[in-house]
Amino acid sequence: MSEQNSGSGLSQEELDDLVASSDTGGRNPSNKAILKAMAIIAFLWALFQVWIASPIPYEVGFGVFSSREARSIHLGLALILCFMAYPAFKRSPRDHIPVSDWILLIAGAFCAFYLFVADLAIVGEIFGDRLSDRPNNPNTFDIVVFCVGIFCLFEATRRSLGPPLAILGILFLLYTYFGPYFPGLLQWKGASFGAMAYHQWLSQSGVFGIALGVSTDLVFLFVLFGALLDKAGAGSYFIKVAFSLMGHLRGGPAKAAVVASGMTGLISGSSIANVVTTGTFTIPMMKRVGFNNEKAGAVEVASSVNGQIMPPVMGAAAFLMVEYVNIPYFDVVKHAFLPAIISYIALVYIVHLEAMKQDMQALPRATVAKPLKLQLLSFLMSAAMFVAIGGGVAWLSEAYLALQSAPSLMIAAAVALAAIIVLCKAISASASEGTKAAVFSTFTMVVGYCVVGGVFLMYLLDTLEQGLDGAGMGVLLPWVVGALLILVYVFLVRICATYPDLEPDDPNSEIVSLPLPKPTIMSGLHFLLPVLLLIWMLMVERKSPSLSAFWAVALMMFILVTQRSLFAFFRGETGGQIGQGVRDLVDGMISGARNMIGIGIATAAAGVIVGAVSQTGIGSALADLVELLSQGQLILILIWTAVLSLILGMGLPTTANYIVVSSLLAPVVVALGQQNGLVVPLIAVHLFVFYFGIMADVTPPVGLASFAAAAVSGGDPIKTGFVAFFYSMRTALLPFLFIFNTDLLLIDVGPVEAVLVFIVATAAMLIFTAGFQGYFFARSRIYESVLLILVAFSLFRPGFWMDMIVEPTTSVPPGSIVEQFERAEPGTELRLLVDGLDSVGEPLSFTAIVEVPEGATGEERIANFGLELIIDGNDVTIDNVTFDSPAEAQGVFDWDQKIVDVMVASDQPPKELIWIPAIVVLILVALLQSRRQKTLAAA
């Protein structure tokens, strides 16, 4: 890597400082003792987090921390490192820590540790009572701790994240105390200063609430896992693999940037770090093949920011969703998987269209072309493999159980996979390195080996578990599995050692030699093992995210210490490498801890807002305000939510933005959806908020990722931001689509249907991209772009047009409700229009969606739904609602509510029939553009 990036005017040192100032702190003390102290504190923080996540404390009965104690220590260490690493102002000294910062450091740390210290037994002996002995009864010293602590927290927030989140937190505190003086809808009775202090600082409802708990229990380990992977060399490996697979295509460096950023997003939660890490290599190469400064930077921004929507980490939001939506982590990943994949595929297509529009040429690769049929066969096998895996990844464990119960089916599946691998090996052997056939076959072979190995491993572990349990030695299972993992790791390193180490090319040099796929992929196979272990533990074993991340981190720690020595051993090199491996491990743990400073501070500061919402009830007031602004229309509330997320995201990090907006508006969207007769799952709303939160990293004028990319490319940051936003329109479209079409989130979708959803949704997104980019087979005319966007919409939401042709429901008199329940098939839907009052006595009209339960008669089915009705002709009054019944879950109450309309499903044709005219229009546009392209080529 050259010291100076071409065209940017920034050295590598300056780029590193750009990342440090936003992610890890820009201060670099000249005093070596201070530097060593910072490193020791960061290392101890990482060690503490690994310790509390491990099962060891529970096994030995020592060092077990409650969630309250762990959060206190977590925030205390984050504040210490923040005041040591982040200077107060741009002009503040960076070569030493001023006295004022030492004072803030000590005060902030004491106030954070207070929750831990104040519950120790010795405190009770000295002061007569402990904090836990006087709930909601703070004394004077407690209030002083709150005042000092909240000041230090907001100052740390301002330094590490900028002023907006700190200002927002202060405003919510003012609202909590001065509630009676606010006008209209926002007015409330207010809270005493003591009550506010206890709620915000001394309880687990404010600063030390769920958000900080997620940061403590989950996020730290995943960030540490990514830091250790990067320190081991996986970041460089992912970039080189992406270039080996896609660098030789038109616009190849840009396509490789998208793929590399997607893979890096698996281990990184920072958009800016992702931009600088991959961008210093990809942006100069994109410029070489024809992208201008702004477009090269925009491609990197769009792909890097999208790394945060890629499961399993998702920039920490996945773990917050587990707590806020109250669903298993497995389900969060399953729901988020398809939109993320589709978004990345669409971005690769955007790059391809840009390359076609500008007639860009691919980077050269010295290969001998092979017959087209060879390339086609390899591509089809790869496509078949990935469609099968893409449709079945979320149901892997269920699929395995099904195969277990049908041995013949398991044998057939194994034979089919083995046949694909054998064919790929034959193609790879007959195709020259670097051809498309070799690329497809090599990649498919690796995936095939992973799948076959995974199924075999599942079978082996199941057999081992049964055997050890039968012999009364079940306690040995973790040790046996650990030994197997080490053997697999050593075997993979032995394979990798036969290939040369990856040496990064200088993207600014005159000639860049694109890496060949097979040696590139094979040189770092051992990096995939901890990633696969993490996914295995989360998705197959269904272990908790915390325990899964612990075992993945433990394996990464072992890899970091041993990989250098193992490579040297298998290559016959002399000299021990254990010492360097230990230094790599320590550096990786320190990097992981420093990467967590901003996230720890952000979740604590966002907890102030969440605490204020729970204490003041401002959520209901905002709901009324938003409903007034949107006039009860769901699409308007979604637009308002998107705009608010974008505005807040200009000053808040993604995690804090998600916490704030989801706390305020997610329940409102669900309620308005119900009033409009639309079931909006809570996970869909949370993903909607999250998607627009990450868009703020792109959106000018404050998109920090765009500024980082412009610093690398030498382009204008505002222009880069606008182009990146234009490229990211597909990401902005997806949230609206999965609100109205929850199939995209794989909600109540089977494996076969999931494959169809994936194919259709991907095709629709690519068509939308072509329409929005103004290029399909040739440059599009305006009417062609409009037609393409309409075709895409029709593929995404065929029900919209079908509902206009044939009404989906038919209204029947409410007096016939018993008859309609009896006539309907169990599991089908009825809709009840309910008028009356809500839980606080306000007028309410909403649609209750009934999934008809089992029952012999209509009366029994109504009772099973949870309703007792008084029917007088067409006057149907709700007399009682069963506690914890489906009716109560739909928001039905038993006071002054009446069923004024019953809607039953009509004989509507399948909505998929709309696809036929849409495909016809698509073919016509394609023919028009192909003919025009041929005419231009002939001229």
Side-chain angles (χ1 to χ4, degrees):
M1 186 72 66
S2 64
E3 184 67 21
Q4 195 81 8
N5 289 282
S6 177
S8 69
L10 291 182
S11 66
Q12 187 63 41
E13 183 180 347
E14 289 171 318
L15 289 172
D16 292 340
D17 184 65
L18 175 66
V19 177
S21 61
S22 60
D23 284 349
T24 61
R27 182 178 280 148
N28 187 24
S30 57
N31 189 320
K32 291 185 178 180
I34 299 297
L35 276 176
K36 189 175 291 186
M38 292 172 67
I40 290 173
I41 293 170
F43 179 77
L44 290 176
W45 189 16
L47 210 57
F48 167 75
Q49 297 290 160
V50 173
W51 172 262
I52 63 173
S54 75
I56 298 174
Y58 302 96
E59 294 292 333
V60 300
F62 171 77
V64 178
F65 293 86
S66 68
S67 62
R68 180 192 186 101
E69 294 167 343
R71 294 174 192 182
S72 172
I73 296 170
H74 180 83
L75 179 58
L77 292 172
L79 287 171
I80 290 173
L81 287 174
C82 180
F83 286 118
M84 294 182 83
Y86 287 89
F89 304 100
K90 289 183 178 180
R91 296 182 179 180
S92 298
R94 296 192 171 205
D95 59 346
H96 70 277
I97 301 176
V99 174
S100 58
D101 285 3
W102 284 113
I103 294 172
L104 288 171
L105 181 154
I106 294 169
F110 173 79
C111 294
F113 290 143
Y114 182 71
L115 269 73
F116 173 57
V117 174
D119 268 340
L120 295 177
I122 191 172
V123 172
E125 295 176 5
I126 296 174
F127 294 102
D129 59 354
R130 294 182 297 175
L131 187 61
S132 56
D133 296 332
R134 41 188 171 83
N136 211 20
N137 185 28
N139 57 32
T140 303
F141 190 73
D142 293 338
I143 294 175
V144 171
V145 167
F146 160 71
C147 294
V148 176
I150 208 74
F151 173 79
C152 292
L153 175 61
F154 285 152
E155 170 59 15
T157 303
R158 183 193 66 79
R159 294 186 183 203
S160 59
L161 306 168
L165 181 56
I167 293 171
L168 204 58
I170 292 170
L171 290 175
F172 272 86
L173 286 181
L174 292 174
Y175 176 72
T176 303
Y177 188 70
F178 294 105
Y181 303 101
F182 277 74
L185 288 173
L186 296 177
Q187 189 177 76
W188 83 292
K189 64 179 183 179
S192 68
F193 199 84
M196 182 176 70
Y198 187 88
H199 188 85
Q200 288 288 3
W201 196 265
L202 304 176
S203 73
Q204 289 183 270
S205 302
V207 171
F208 296 92
I210 289 176
L212 187 64
V214 171
S215 176
T216 305
D217 299 335
L218 302 175
V219 179
F220 193 106
L221 281 179
F222 281 85
V223 171
L224 178 61
F225 176 67
L228 294 177
L229 258 178
D230 189 57
K231 189 64 183 177
S236 175
Y237 172 71
F238 289 154
I239 294 173
K240 298 293 278 189
V241 167
F243 266 84
S244 71
L245 295 175
M246 310 195 76
H248 63 292
L249 304 175
R250 276 196 174 196
K255 293 174 181 175
V258 175
V259 175
S261 294
M263 291 190 289
T264 306
L266 294 172
I267 63 174
S268 171
S270 168
S271 301
I272 299 168
N274 201 347
V275 165
V276 174
T277 301
T278 59
T280 50
F281 187 75
T282 59
I283 289 175
M285 296 189 72
M286 281 189 264
K287 289 163 67 176
R288 169 172 299 175
V289 296
F291 285 86
N292 63 30
N293 292 349
E294 285 73 28
K295 287 187 177 180
V299 169
E300 183 58 49
V301 169
S303 53
S304 294
V305 168
N306 262 31
Q308 292 191 72
I309 68 175
M310 181 62 70
V313 179
M314 295 172 61
F319 315 115
L320 289 162
M321 289 178 195
V322 169
E323 299 295 332
Y324 289 152
V325 185
N326 195 26
I327 61 175
Y329 177 81
F330 174 86
D331 289 342
V332 172
V333 171
K334 184 179 79 172
H335 298 324
F337 176 75
L338 199 57
I341 293 296
I342 292 172
S343 182
Y344 263 105
I345 292 173
L347 185 55
V348 172
Y349 188 54
I350 286 174
V351 170
H352 177 72
L353 294 178
E354 286 286 357
M356 295 296 291
K357 281 193 281 188
Q358 300 183 43
D359 194 26
M360 296 179 186
Q361 300 304 309
L363 290 174
R365 175 181 276 159
T367 57
V368 179
K370 285 293 176 178
L372 178 63
K373 59 184 180 182
L374 198 65
Q375 299 182 20
L376 183 61
L377 178 61
S378 180
F379 172 75
L380 290 176
M381 285 191 297
S382 298
M385 173 77 78
F386 278 99
V387 167
I389 293 172
V393 67
W395 298 270
L396 185 57
S397 57
E398 289 89 342
Y400 174 70
L401 292 175
L403 290 173
Q404 271 189 314
S405 61
S408 58
L409 189 58
M410 177 180 280
I411 293 171
V415 169
L417 283 170
I420 290 178
I421 293 172
V422 170
L423 278 171
C424 286
K425 285 184 74 70
I427 293 171
S428 182
S430 59
S432 297
E433 277 286 3
T435 59
K436 291 180 182 179
V439 171
F440 286 131
S441 57
T442 300
F443 201 36
T444 305
M445 268 195 296
V446 172
V447 175
Y449 281 133
C450 289
V451 174
V452 173
V455 173
F456 171 75
L457 191 58
M458 291 173 80
Y459 182 78
L460 178 63
L461 290 177
D462 189 50
T463 305
L464 270 174
E465 187 173 8
Q466 291 179 12
L468 291 173
D469 284 343
M473 295 185 294
V475 71
L476 295 177
L477 182 63
W479 297 97
V480 174
V481 172
L484 283 174
L485 272 175
I486 292 173
L487 287 175
V488 172
Y489 161 62
V490 173
F491 173 72
L492 289 176
V493 171
R494 185 177 182 276
I495 294 174
C496 297
T498 61
Y499 295 88
D501 290 333
L502 297 179
E503 295 293 337
D505 291 321
D506 182 357
N508 299 306
S509 64
E510 287 300 320
I511 300 176
V512 172
S513 176
L514 287 178
L516 296 173
K518 185 175 180 180
T520 304
I521 294 172
M522 302 301 284
S523 66
L525 284 179
H526 64 297
F527 293 136
L528 302 179
L529 187 61
V531 177
L532 292 175
L533 174 65
L534 176 62
I535 295 173
W536 178 282
M537 295 289 289
L538 289 170
M539 309 299 288
V540 179
E541 295 292 334
R542 305 290 180 91
K543 300 296 183 184
S544 69
S546 177
L547 187 61
S548 302
F550 165 75
W551 288 115
V553 166
L555 179 58
M556 270 311 308
M557 293 168 74
F558 182 78
I559 288 174
L560 267 171
V561 172
T562 60
Q563 67 171 351
R564 291 176 180 270
S565 297
L566 283 174
F567 271 95
F569 173 77
F570 287 121
R571 289 172 177 169
E573 299 172 355
T574 58
Q577 300 287 339
I578 291 291
Q580 184 58 48
V582 171
R583 286 191 289 273
D584 288 343
L585 172 59
V586 172
D587 289 345
M589 295 187 73
I590 292 171
S591 296
R594 294 198 62 164
N595 289 339
M596 268 301 299
I597 298 172
I599 297 176
I601 299 295
T603 51
V608 173
I609 298 166
V610 176
V613 170
S614 64
Q615 189 173 20
T616 64
I618 191 177
S620 60
L622 284 176
D624 293 338
L625 179 62
V626 170
E627 186 175 359
L628 180 66
L629 291 172
S630 64
Q631 298 295 307
Q633 296 298 313
L634 181 61
I635 190 66
L636 287 179
I637 180 61
L638 290 175
I639 292 172
W640 278 111
T641 303
V643 171
L644 179 62
S645 298
L646 287 174
I647 292 173
L648 287 177
M650 290 181 184
L652 305 187
T654 304
T655 308
N657 187 3
Y658 164 71
I659 294 170
V660 172
V661 181
S662 62
S663 300
L664 295 175
L665 292 180
V668 182
V669 176
V670 174
L672 280 179
Q674 186 182 35
Q675 291 180 29
N676 283 269
L678 180 68
V679 177
V680 183
L682 192 56
I683 182 64
V685 182
H686 280 258
L687 283 171
F688 181 94
V689 170
F690 176 60
Y691 266 58
F692 278 100
I694 69 164
M695 285 288 289
D697 275 349
V698 178
T699 311
V702 192
L704 297 180
S706 299
F707 278 83
V712 179
S713 69
D716 180 89
I718 301 298
K719 289 182 180 177
T720 301
F722 276 111
V723 177
F725 184 78
F726 186 72
Y727 288 164
S728 298
M729 283 305 296
R730 78 216 184 282
T731 307
L733 173 70
L734 276 170
F736 285 96
L737 292 172
F738 59 59
I739 287 287
F740 292 100
N741 181 8
T742 56
D743 287 352
L744 287 172
L745 301 180
L746 301 180
I747 295 176
D748 298 326
V749 172
V752 176
E753 190 180 354
V755 174
L756 179 62
V757 169
F758 172 70
I759 293 171
V760 174
T762 303
M765 181 55 73
L766 296 182
I767 294 166
F768 169 82
T769 300
F772 205 75
Q773 290 293 118
Y775 195 100
F776 192 28
F777 288 92
R779 289 189 181 275
S780 301
R781 290 167 180 164
I782 293 178
Y783 71 88
E784 290 174 336
S785 292
V786 172
L787 288 175
L788 287 173
I789 292 173
L790 286 175
V791 168
F793 179 77
S794 301
L795 292 176
F796 270 124
R797 279 211 69 204
F800 177 84
W801 303 113
M802 187 59 74
D803 290 349
M804 294 178 66
I805 299 170
V806 179
E807 286 287 340
T809 58
T810 302
S811 180
V812 298
S816 66
I817 185 171
V818 176
E819 180 186 350
Q820 299 303 328
F821 265 83
E822 187 169 339
R823 183 181 300 172
E825 289 291 328
T828 58
E829 281 189 358
L830 294 177
R831 297 183 176 228
L832 310 179
L833 182 60
V834 181
D835 276 353
L837 303 177
D838 62 13
S839 57
V840 294
E842 295 292 332
L844 177 68
S845 178
F846 67 95
T847 302
I849 300 176
V850 181
E851 185 174 319
V852 178
E854 297 284 346
T857 64
E859 290 88 349
E860 186 176 336
R861 291 178 177 180
I862 291 173
N864 289 340
F865 179 63
L867 291 179
E868 292 180 17
L869 305 176
I870 299 175
I871 302 176
D872 183 12
N874 280 328
D875 189 10
V876 180
T877 304
I878 297 171
D879 186 49
N880 188 42
V881 178
T882 306
F883 175 74
D884 200 26
S885 65
E888 187 185 51
Q890 286 286 322
V892 182
F893 296 94
D894 57 354
W895 56 81
D896 291 324
Q897 285 192 345
K898 293 185 177 183
I899 297 173
V900 297
D901 196 7
V902 177
M903 290 161 282
V904 299
S906 63
D907 294 328
Q908 188 185 64
K911 61 183 180 181
E912 289 77 14
L913 289 176
I914 297 295
W915 290 349
I916 297 175
I919 292 172
V920 170
V921 172
L922 177 66
I923 292 172
L924 289 174
V925 173
L927 290 174
L928 283 172
Q929 292 204 357
S930 296
R931 183 177 301 173
R932 190 162 68 248
Q933 184 72 359
K934 288 178 181 177
T935 303
L936 291 172

